[in-house]
């Protein structure tokens, strides 16, 4: 029995005039497209690694990747005897079918595209979406990947991201944080404010402008409460916050200003008799 | 201290010590400044160690490309121009260079740094902050801490304008060194709140040596287009 490869390629698959050969070419072209897309996007990423911010680089890489794949798909389509001119007519119907069949997928896709172009978040940003807080690891076509501050991987569908309230903690250049510092009533509040301001002024990233503000905010049950408002670069504010508070505490203590413990003065209407004390005194007299 | 070194060397200026020492055949770069030390083993056959002043926007952490100098307020007549001198902070860069490549090893400074915001928190930029007096002539500077900036200011606006600060993009910065560290810059006032600033690639004194910029060393492409100050001049 002779084996002829050409004949095998010409065997119809049962759908229109499509042969195994057509199907094979279709798959080969598509595979080549995917491989070329991969190679090109890897090289684009490598070339742009030091020239573009990560977010723009990833967006451009993805656009090139999907662009090449779609291009390969369009080139491969005639192998399936698919008339591209009919695509316009069929597009509407197919669109409807796809729309109903994959509503959430399309919704996520469209939301993903909007996210990429609207830029409410970028890769590396610290964000809060719904009940997820963390840094953005990747913005994909269908989903956004967030690494929580505990290092946990969370995949959020783009539709959820797009329709939720997004808090981006580093979108602006600078942000403000505050401390509550309690001092004893007998301590000099003016001196405490001056010392706190001096410590803040020595920190490189506690911004000179907007100027920090330290003031007596309220008179508490156990302490005079000072509030300090400090502006810091949005991407470094946490480092500044964790660094400064200890330094302020140390500086206050070095100057004899203490942060008081909760205390309560109790008054007894009939005085307070301590039995043990009298017994002790009697013992001494004897 | 500034210059190019091959093999072992040792330079000590006040509190700053920079040396490359060969220990058991391994060349070790070592720096001590303000009680902080830094050490790296250099594996090199043909490389040179380059020590020169670099753009002052890297310490304690590289967070911005902008430098803001605040100075005594000047009120400038429409159409007037004047050259004055300011002081600016410097950082010392240590780089290793061979025929094929250049790399940053260390950046340090004996002074502390301060940063500020130019513009609003929403649209502004974080800048390195420095205060300077306005000098009519080249002032004396503390070596390794500050440099002299020849600063030409021109009021191209139709009204009197008050200026007390200038913001530069450090990617444009051209630093020269000789007896002291120097840079040349210009500012063109466009409106009461806007001005263009840029650096001029020219030595302040003949014979000064041009520094290797960190942007060159880090191979970050930058277009010298100056900076447009949009959020006020004082």
């Amino acid at each position: 029995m002779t084996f002829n490869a050409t004949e095998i390629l010409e065997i119809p698959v049962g759908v229109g005039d499509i042969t195994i050969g057509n199907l094979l070419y279709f798959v080969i072209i598509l595979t080549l497209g995917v491989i070329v897309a991969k190679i090109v996007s890897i090289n684009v990423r490598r070339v742009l690694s030091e020239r573009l911010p990560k977010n723009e680089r990833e967006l451009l890489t993805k656009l090139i990747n999907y662009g090449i794949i779609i291009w390969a798909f369009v080139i491969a389509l005639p192998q399936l005897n698919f008339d591209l001119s009919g695509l316009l007519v069929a597009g509407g119907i197919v669109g409807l079918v796809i729309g109903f069949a994959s509503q959430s997928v399309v919704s996520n896709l469209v939301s993903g595209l909007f996210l990429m172009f609207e830029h409410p978040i970028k890769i590396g940003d610290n964000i809060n979406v719904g009940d997820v807080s963390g840094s953005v690891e990747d913005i994909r076509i269908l989903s956004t990947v967030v690494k929580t501050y505990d290092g946990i991987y969370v995949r959020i569908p783009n539709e959820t991201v797009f329709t939720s309230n997004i808090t981006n903690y580093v979108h602006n250049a600078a942000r403000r944080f505050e401390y509550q510092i309690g001092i004893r009533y007998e301590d000099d509040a003016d001196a405490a404010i001056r010392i706190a301001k001096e410590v803040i002024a020595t920190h490189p990233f506690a911004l000179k402008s907007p100027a920090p503000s330290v003031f007596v905010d309220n008179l508490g049950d156990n302490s005079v409460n000072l509030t300090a408002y400090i502006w810091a670069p949005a991407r470094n504010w946490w480092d500044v916050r964790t660094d400064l508070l200890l330094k302020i505490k140390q500086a206050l203590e070095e100057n004899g200003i203490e942060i008081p413990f909760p205390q309560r003065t109790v008054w007894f209407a009939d005085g307070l008799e301590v039995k043990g004390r009298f017994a002790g005194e009697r013992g001494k007299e004897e | 201290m500034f210059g190019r070194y091959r093999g072992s060397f040792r330079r000590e200026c006040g509190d700053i010590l920079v040396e490359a020492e060969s220990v058991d055949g391994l060349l070790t770069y070592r720096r001590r400044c303000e009680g902080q030390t830094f050490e790296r083993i250099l594996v090199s056959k043909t490389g040179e160690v380059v020590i020169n002043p670099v753009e002052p926007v890297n310490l304690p952490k590289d967070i911005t490309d902008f430098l803001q100098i605040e100075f005594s307020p000047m009120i400038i007549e429409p159409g007037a121009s004047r050259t004055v001198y300011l002081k600016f902070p410097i950082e010392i860069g240590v780089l290793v260079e061979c025929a094929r490549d250049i790399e940053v090893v260390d950046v340090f400074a004996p002074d502390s740094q301060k940063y500020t915001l130019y513009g609003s928190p929403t649209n502004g930029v974080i800048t390195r902050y420095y205060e300077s007096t306005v000098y009519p002539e080249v002032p004396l500077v503390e070596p390794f801490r500050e440099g002299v900036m020849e600063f030409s200011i021109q009021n191209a606006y139709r009204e009197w304008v008050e200026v007390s600060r200038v913001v530069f993009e450090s990617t444009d910065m051209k630093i020269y060194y000789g007896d002291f560290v120097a840079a040349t810059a210009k500012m063109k006032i466009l409106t009461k709140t806007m001005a263009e600033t840029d650096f001029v690639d020219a030595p302040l004194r003949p014979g000064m040596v041009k520094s290797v910029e960190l942007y060159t060393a880090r191979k970050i492409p930058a277009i010298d287009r100056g900076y447009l100050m949009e959020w006020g001049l004082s």
Side-chain angles (χ1 to χ4, degrees), chain B residues 1-6 9 18 29 47-54 92-98 102-106 177 210-212:
Chain B
M1 179 183 290
F2 298 140
R4 289 172 175 269
Y5 303 92
R6 210 180 261 273
F9 68 92
V18 181
Y29 162 79
E48 280 185 329
V49 174
V50 181
I51 304 176
N52 62 212
V54 293
I92 301 164
V94 180
L95 309 100
V96 278
E97 187 179 34
C98 66
I102 186 162
E103 186 62 54
V104 183
V105 177
D106 185 21
Y177 63 90
K210 189 177 178 184
S211 281
V212 179

Side-chain angles (χ1 to χ4, degrees), chain A residues 70-89:
Chain A
I70 290 168
W71 180 58
F73 185 70
V74 170
I75 287 175
L77 269 181
Q79 294 297 329
L80 303 181
N81 294 338
F82 202 93
D83 185 8
L84 286 178
S85 59
L87 201 66
L88 291 172
V89 183

Side-chain angles (χ1 to χ4, degrees), chain A residues 172-173 201 203-204 206 208-209 239, chain B residues 61 63 113-117 121:
Chain A
N172 291 343
H203 199 289
K208 172 94 178 166
S209 169
D239 296 338
Chain B
K61 204 195 258 184
I63 64 160
Q113 299 79 31
K114 191 72 182 166
Y115 286 79
T116 190
L117 179 70

